[in-house]
Every structure is written in structure tokens, then in C-alpha cells.
Amino acid sequence: MNNSNTITIMKKFLIALALLASVQVAADAQNTETAKKNLEKAIAVSQNAKKATKVATWLNLANKYLDAYNAPIGAAYVGADQTTLALTMGADKPTATKTVTISGVDYTVQSYKDKDIYLNPYTGLVDAIKVTNPVVDNPLAKAFDAFQKAVEVDKQATKIRDIAQGIKSISEKYFADAQTAYALGDVKAAQAAFEAAYKSAASEPYAQLDTNALYNAAFTAWAVEDNAKAKELFEACASNNYYAEDGEVFVKLADIATKLDPSPAGLEVSKKYLEDGFVKFPGSQGILIGLINYYLSSGENTDKLFELLGVAKKNEPNNASLYYVEGNIHSQLGEQDKAVASYQECSKINPEYEYGYYGEGVVYYNQAVDIQDKAQSELDDEKYNALMQEFEVVLKKCIAPFEKAFELGKDEALKMNVAEYLKNTYYRFREQSADYQSAYEKYDQFLKQ
């Protein structure tokens, strides 16, 4: 292809882009006003007594509210680069540009007549779009009401599928709004939108449980310390058998119980949540720590912890992680010999489970550090030397289990942690033999990768 043909094609391409931009500008300029006029017409039709009995009237009204919701956003979209954004916005230029810091990130914010567009400072892409001048207040809530009215007049259920799809769309838009609000640091607005997403999805005729929206609504309510609302929503999670990762719902309910009622009665309710959670999620560190803290602070018999764990072990006798949890409990209670026994039983049940070896290694390492600290404060030379000999004996005990944990480790973070322990341990003994020196260099190099 010669240069003249290339130039001709490029000119045609650029002209096409220019035409596209001009069409887009015209469309965007009319979008908001058109949506407003169409909505006003639909509202007027719905107020006509005869037409208000028709399902089509309410479906049309609901969809016009959805159009009103979409209109200010126009052709902008999250993830757009600045070149694409400029092209799609055309002659609609920002009225102002400023920098806004959110969670330590300096966003460039382009303000238009009806929206603010947040540009990521690292990628330059659109991270969020916030409507500042809506066509109508609360368009999603009003669209939802119109769909509900459609259900009411649709006596023969001829449009149930259309209504359900409309409600699904509303729920999805609420969820997107919640994500935007959360990203922009408005947690309270995010909470309201997450809850609206959950409740709209759960309504007939769509009637779907959106556990993601429900949990996020509960979590954001907890984050803004609306404890009564958070309790209601977390209990809804539990009643629908949704407990989040590692039973986090129980941890949050226990925390809320003591905030709502710090009296002994409230503490008892908190304990009950944690105990119920422990039965379902015996490996949850959050639940375990909550229970240990409760029993230690309340002075109650910690045997209850082992009773709960015993039930779990009875149900799953070959679950090595339960013995790892048992070791953690003993360790937290200062029962280090029992902790080692539990970790070793864990490794015996499942020799490929790295955490049993890891737990055992940590116990010995921490014991050695405690002995060393004691030696540092000892003024008697003879006692000091005896403690340092004991320190070296105990510290060497951590090597074998840590080496096994490193060998089996599938989790990169765990391997890095174990390598740090081994590096420090071998450093202490590096002058005693070439093998110790070599091992020190091995883990030092691994950590530098």
C-alpha cells in the first residue's frame, strides 16, 4: 500500500471518529433533557385513572426512571482511558478539575454539569463516576415502586419475567452505586445502597438472595457503628446460613453484642455467638481469639474451649487442622508442652499438613527467645552461661519442624515467614559448622528473591 492510500484511509478514519464524536455530543446533550421529558410524560400517564390499571403503564414508568438514572452518566464508564473518555464526551468538557485525596490516593476529579469523574493517578483510567445532578431524586427507588405497582395490576402474571428482570437491574445498579460510594470513602452512603441492593433483589417476583450485598450492607453498618442495623443484617446472614469466610459473621455479631450491651448479660450473648461459630468453624482464628479473650478476661473455666473442640474432633477425627487449633489454644494459655503435643499429633494425622510443623517450630523459637531475654537480665555469670546453653538447646529444636514446614509449604507467605525464622536461627549457629553457615546463606538468599 502506498503512502497516499494510507493517508487517505487515515483521513477517512479520523473523519469517521469526528462524526462519531459529534453524534455522541449531540446525543449526550439531548440525553438528560430527553430522559426528563419522557419521564414527565410517563408520570402523567400513570396518573390517568384508566391507564393506571394497565401493567404496560407501570412498566413504562419504571423504565423511564431507569433511563433517568442512566442519563447523567451518558457515555462515560469505569475503566475508560482518558483518550476514549475525551472522545465519547466530545464537546462536553469539564467545568472544573481538582485533586481529591481518598485513603491516601490523590485522584484527579473532572467535574461536568451532572457528574464528577475520578481518574486513577497511577493508571489514568476512570475509577469512579459520581452523579451530582440527577434527572430526578432517588430514581432507582421510584423505578422499584413502579415495578411493584406493575406486579399489583398484572392480575394474569403476563409480565412477571419482565418485572423480575427490571428488579434485577435495579439491584445491580444499587450495588454499583454502593461500590462507588465505598471507593470514594462515603461508607454511610455505601451501606444504604448495599442494603437497597439486597432488599430489592429479595423482593418478588425476582426473589433472589444476594448474600454479597447482604454481607456488605451488614459490614458497612458495623463500620459506621450503626450497631442495631448491623445486628439485624448479620443475623439475616446467619439465618440464611451465610457466615462469610471463616465464620466472620459470628465474630461481628459477638462484637456488636458487647457494644449494644456491655453488661454481663451482653457478654454472655457475645460468648454464645462465638461458641456457636466455633462449632461450625473450629479453625477460625477470629472466633478462637474471641473465645480465648473471653475466657481469660471473664475468669471462666477454659475447659469449655476444649469441650467445644472435642465435639469437632469427634465429628472429624482425621481433621489435622483441629489439632493445630488445639495447639494454638494451649499456646495462648501458656501451656507450651501441651501445645507441642497437639502440634505433633496434627503432623502425625496428616504428615503433609505444614501448619502442625510450623506451630511446633514457633513454640520452640519463642521459648528460646524467652530464655535469652531471661539470660540478658541475669547478673550471675554461672547462671547466665547455664541459661545460654539452655537457649541454644531449645532454639535448635525449632530447626527440624521449621525445615519440614518449609519443605511442605504451599502458601508463599508461610514459606517466607518460616524462612525468616530459619535464617535467624542458623545465623546464631553459623560459626559452629559449615552446614549451619550454608543453611543461613540458603534462607538469606531465598528472602532476597
Side-chain angles (χ1 to χ4, degrees):
M1 183 180 294
N2 61 41
N3 289 339
S4 62
N5 287 339
T6 301
I7 293 171
T8 300
I9 290 174
M10 286 302 298
K11 283 182 177 178
K12 289 180 178 179
F13 177 69
L14 292 173
I15 290 171
L17 287 181
L19 289 173
L20 171 63
S22 65
V23 170
Q24 186 63 58
V25 171
D28 286 348
Q30 297 176 6
N31 205 25
T32 299
E33 191 58 34
T34 300
K36 184 177 181 181
K37 289 179 179 178
N38 288 341
L39 177 59
E40 289 171 349
K41 290 178 183 179
I43 292 173
V45 171
S46 71
Q47 293 171 345
N48 179 291
K50 184 175 181 180
K51 292 182 178 180
T53 62
K54 300 181 181 296
V55 66
T57 296
W58 298 104
L59 285 176
N60 180 59
L61 179 60
N63 287 319
K64 291 301 180 284
Y65 274 121
L66 290 177
D67 290 344
Y69 168 89
N70 291 323
I73 300 172
Y77 62 92
V78 172
D81 59 57
Q82 293 185 56
T83 301
T84 303
L85 182 65
L87 178 63
T88 57
M89 297 304 291
D92 187 11
K93 303 299 183 183
T95 58
T97 300
K98 59 185 177 181
T99 299
V100 175
T101 302
I102 302 172
S103 300
V105 178
D106 294 332
Y107 287 89
T108 298
V109 181
Q110 296 180 349
S111 295
Y112 295 78
K113 64 180 182 298
D114 49 12
K115 58 184 166 286
D116 286 343
I117 294 181
Y118 291 73
L119 300 174
N120 187 293
Y122 305 111
T123 65
L125 303 180
V126 176
D127 259 13
I129 304 170
K130 180 181 180 180
V131 173
T132 55
N133 186 23
V135 173
V136 62
D137 290 337
N138 303 316
L140 295 180
K142 291 171 181 176
F144 178 81
D145 290 342
F147 278 125
Q148 291 300 299
K149 189 65 178 177
V151 173
E152 181 183 326
V153 300
D154 189 18
K155 304 298 184 183
Q156 303 302 316
T158 58
K159 296 293 183 180
I160 290 299
R161 179 175 294 183
D162 293 340
I163 297 169
Q165 285 301 307
I167 291 175
K168 177 186 178 185
S169 176
I170 289 172
S171 177
E172 291 171 346
K173 292 179 187 301
Y174 269 131
F175 195 91
D177 284 352
Q179 290 179 307
T180 297
Y182 192 83
L184 298 181
D186 191 346
V187 182
K188 190 171 183 179
Q191 194 285 321
F194 277 130
E195 186 174 1
Y198 151 64
K199 288 185 174 179
S200 56
S203 67
E204 296 288 351
Y206 186 53
Q208 297 294 313
L209 175 63
D210 187 342
T211 53
N212 198 14
L214 173 57
Y215 179 81
N216 281 315
F219 178 84
T220 46
W222 172 82
V224 297
E225 299 184 349
D226 187 349
N227 292 312
K229 173 63 70 175
K231 178 184 177 183
E232 172 195 332
L233 294 169
F234 277 125
E235 285 185 339
C237 287
S239 66
N240 284 288
N241 297 315
Y242 182 78
Y243 305 106
E245 186 175 359
D246 288 336
E248 184 64 20
V249 166
F250 290 106
V251 177
K252 290 294 189 290
L253 283 169
D255 176 63
I256 292 166
T258 57
K259 288 177 177 176
L260 290 174
D261 182 8
S263 73
L267 292 174
E268 189 66 26
V269 172
S270 177
K271 180 184 74 168
K272 182 65 165 58
Y273 280 128
L274 291 171
E275 289 181 346
D276 289 348
F278 190 76
V279 171
K280 292 182 179 294
F281 298 91
S284 168
Q285 290 299 300
I287 293 173
L288 176 60
I289 291 170
L291 280 171
I292 290 173
N293 288 339
Y294 171 81
Y295 282 108
L296 291 178
S297 62
S298 67
E300 290 189 29
N301 191 341
T302 54
D303 287 348
K304 179 65 174 178
L305 284 169
F306 297 103
E307 290 176 18
L308 293 168
L309 191 58
V311 172
K313 288 162 67 177
K314 184 177 180 180
N315 292 333
E316 299 181 79
N318 296 319
N319 187 341
S321 67
L322 297 177
Y323 291 87
Y324 175 69
V325 170
E326 183 179 66
N328 289 346
I329 296 174
H330 283 304
S331 182
Q332 289 284 335
L333 295 176
E335 301 168 348
Q336 303 307 331
D337 290 344
K338 291 181 179 180
V340 168
S342 295
Y343 291 136
Q344 289 178 342
E345 185 66 20
C346 170
S347 301
K348 180 179 177 182
I349 290 173
N350 184 357
E352 301 300 312
Y353 185 63
E354 61 267 37
Y355 286 93
Y357 304 105
Y358 173 75
E360 182 183 355
V362 169
V363 169
Y364 287 133
Y365 188 92
N366 289 340
Q367 282 182 330
V369 170
D370 289 342
I371 295 169
Q372 184 182 45
D373 289 343
K374 186 177 179 181
Q376 296 303 322
S377 60
E378 181 56 64
L379 299 178
D380 184 284
D381 288 345
E382 186 176 341
K383 291 180 179 179
Y384 171 82
N385 291 331
L387 284 169
M388 289 308 295
Q389 287 179 0
E390 182 183 1
F391 160 73
E392 291 198 358
V393 169
V394 174
L395 186 59
K396 286 182 178 179
K397 287 183 178 180
C398 80
I399 292 176
F402 273 147
E403 286 283 8
K404 193 66 177 178
F406 185 84
E407 174 192 336
L408 296 172
K410 295 174 283 295
D411 181 85
E412 192 62 27
L414 177 71
K415 291 196 74 164
M416 293 292 286
N417 199 14
V418 172
E420 188 68 42
Y421 278 120
L422 285 168
K423 173 191 169 183
N424 294 339
T425 301
Y426 282 123
Y427 180 82
R428 172 70 189 184
F429 303 119
R430 71 192 188 287
E431 295 180 356
Q432 292 186 9
S433 75
D435 288 342
Y436 284 140
Q437 175 66 32
S438 176
Y440 162 73
E441 292 172 356
K442 169 186 173 181
Y443 291 107
D444 181 55
Q445 186 61 37
F446 177 82
L447 290 166
K448 288 179 179 177
Q449 293 177 355

